Amino acid sequence: MIDIAWSQFTPGAALTGGLLIGLAAASFLLLNGRIAGISGILGGLLVPARRDILWRVAFLAGLVGTPSLWLLFSELPPIQIDAGYPALILAGLLVGIGTRYGSGCTSGHGVCGLSRLSPRSLVATLSFMATGLITVFVIRHLMGA
Amino acid sequence: MKYSFTSLLAGLIFGLGLMVSGMANPEKVLGFLDIAGLWDPSLAFVMGGAIIVGLVAFAVARRRTLSFLGFTMKMPANNRIEPRLVIGSMMFGIGWGIAGFCPGPALVALGAGEIKAVVFVASMVAGMMAFEVIERIKRPSLGDTRGYQKN
C-alpha cells in the first residue's frame, strides 16, 4: 500500500517545470539537431575536440546560471541536501561513471530517449529507476537513515 | 556562434524547468524514489510533461535531416541493448538514490551556491574522467563522435 505525501505533492509546478524541460529539449533538438543529454554534454568536454567546446560550455553555463537569473526576480526555492560529504562523493563517482558507461542520464535517456520511443533508453531508464528505488529503500528503511 | 547561443538558451530553459518543478531539490527527488515511505509522485509529472513536448519534437525531427537552423541532425546510432547500458544505468541509479542528484539538478544546485552540490559535481566529473581513462586504455582510437552517426 502506497501512502501519498499530499502535503509535498506539487502536480501543477511539476507539470509546468516538465513542460519547460520538454521545451528546452525540443528547441535543442529542432534548432541544433542534438539530444539534450546533460551527462553527454558535460562528459564530451572531457574528450577534447577543439571546435566542440563552446556550445557545450554554453549549455552548461545556462544550467548553472539559472539560479542567478532567478534571483533577479524572486527568492531561490529550497534546496535540501541531506546526504553527508562521504555519501556525496560516492554518489558523484557512481553518477559520473554510470552515466557515461550507460550513455545517458535522466535527461538523455529519461526525457529524450523515451520521447524518441527508443527501446534502449527505456531499458536504461527502467534500470536506473529500479536501482534508485532500491537504494532509497535500503538507506531509509533497512539502514534507517 | 548561433549554435552556442541556442545552446545557452536551451540550458537556461532546462534549468528553469528543473527549478520550477522542484527537481533541483534532492529531497524532493528522494521523496519520489521513496515509495515505501510517504511518496511524492511529483517527479512522474515532470517526466510526463517533458515527454509530452518531447514526443512532438522527435516526431518532427524524425522527418528532417537538417535542423531548423540548418545544422545536421545528430541522432544516436546505437540501438543495441548491451550489458554496459544496463550496468552503467544501474550504477547511476545507485548514486542517484544515495544523494538525490542526477547531473542536471546538481549543476543547477551548484549555480545556487550549494557547497554540497559543488562537492557532488566535482566527484561526478572525476567519475566521468575515470571513465574516459578506462575507455582510452581499452580502445585508444575512440573520438568524440562515439555513439553518434554523421550524415
Side-chain angles (χ1 to χ4, degrees):
Chain A
M1 188 59 206
I2 290 174
D3 289 318
I4 298 204
W6 293 109
S7 62
Q8 270 116 61
F9 183 34
T10 49
L15 193 62
T16 309
L19 292 171
L20 282 167
I21 292 169
L23 178 68
S27 28
F28 198 56
L29 175 72
L30 295 174
L31 298 177
N32 285 10
R34 274 189 186 264
I35 304 272
I38 294 167
S39 57
I41 293 174
L42 176 59
L45 276 179
L46 309 171
V47 198
R50 308 294 177 265
R51 61 194 173 81
D52 211 17
I53 292 173
L54 190 61
W55 72 264
R56 290 179 190 272
V57 171
F59 187 98
L60 299 171
L63 272 179
V64 174
T66 311
S68 305
L69 194 70
W70 182 289
L71 269 174
L72 298 177
F73 304 96
S74 172
E75 271 178 56
L76 290 179
I79 296 179
Q80 189 187 335
I81 308 167
D82 286 343
Y85 286 100
L88 285 166
I89 291 169
L90 175 66
L93 285 172
L94 285 166
V95 171
I97 299 177
T99 52
R100 295 301 283 150
Y101 205 55
S103 313
C105 57
T106 339
S107 52
H109 282 311
V111 173
C112 295
L114 294 187
S115 297
R116 207 166 65 89
L117 305 174
S118 153
R120 181 173 144 85
S121 287
L122 178 63
V123 169
T125 305
L126 291 176
S127 303
F128 67 69
M129 281 284 176
T131 51
L133 290 166
I134 293 167
T135 303
V136 171
F137 181 78
V138 169
I139 291 175
R140 290 200 170 175
H141 302 284
L142 298 185
M143 291 162 62
Chain B
M1 214 50 222
K2 194 161 53 173
Y3 200 88
S4 295
F5 180 72
T6 43
S7 298
L8 174 70
L9 218 58
L12 272 173
I13 300 170
F14 206 113
L16 195 64
L18 287 171
M19 288 186 76
V20 168
S21 65
M23 293 302 123
N25 182 6
E27 190 51 31
K28 190 134 178 89
V29 173
L30 293 175
F32 173 79
L33 291 175
D34 188 11
I35 38 168
L38 270 179
W39 188 52
D40 176 358
S42 302
L43 189 143
F45 282 65
V46 181
M47 293 288 286
I51 290 171
I52 289 168
V53 181
L55 279 170
V56 178
F58 277 94
V60 173
R62 205 163 289 133
R63 291 190 220 105
R64 303 182 65 92
T65 48
L66 289 179
S67 79
F68 285 99
L69 292 181
F71 298 111
T72 309
M73 303 294 285
K74 288 193 167 132
M75 292 297 118
N78 185 356
N79 295 318
R80 282 169 305 166
I81 295 167
E82 326 115 304
R84 61 182 285 155
L85 174 82
V86 177
I87 294 165
S89 298
M90 287 175 79
M91 284 176 73
F92 160 46
I94 296 171
W96 193 36
I98 292 174
F101 270 139
C102 52
L107 289 166
V108 173
L110 176 144
E114 295 288 337
I115 301 302
K116 284 185 162 181
V118 177
V119 171
F120 178 89
V121 169
S123 179
M124 176 174 80
V125 169
M128 289 178 168
M129 288 169 89
F131 165 83
E132 292 301 334
V133 171
I134 296 165
E135 286 296 286
R136 210 50 63 91
I137 293 167
K138 273 163 49 186
R139 281 179 287 179
S141 61
L142 285 178
D144 66 311
T145 51
R146 177 183 47 223
Y148 285 86
Q149 62 187 6
K150 273 191 167 172
N151 48 2

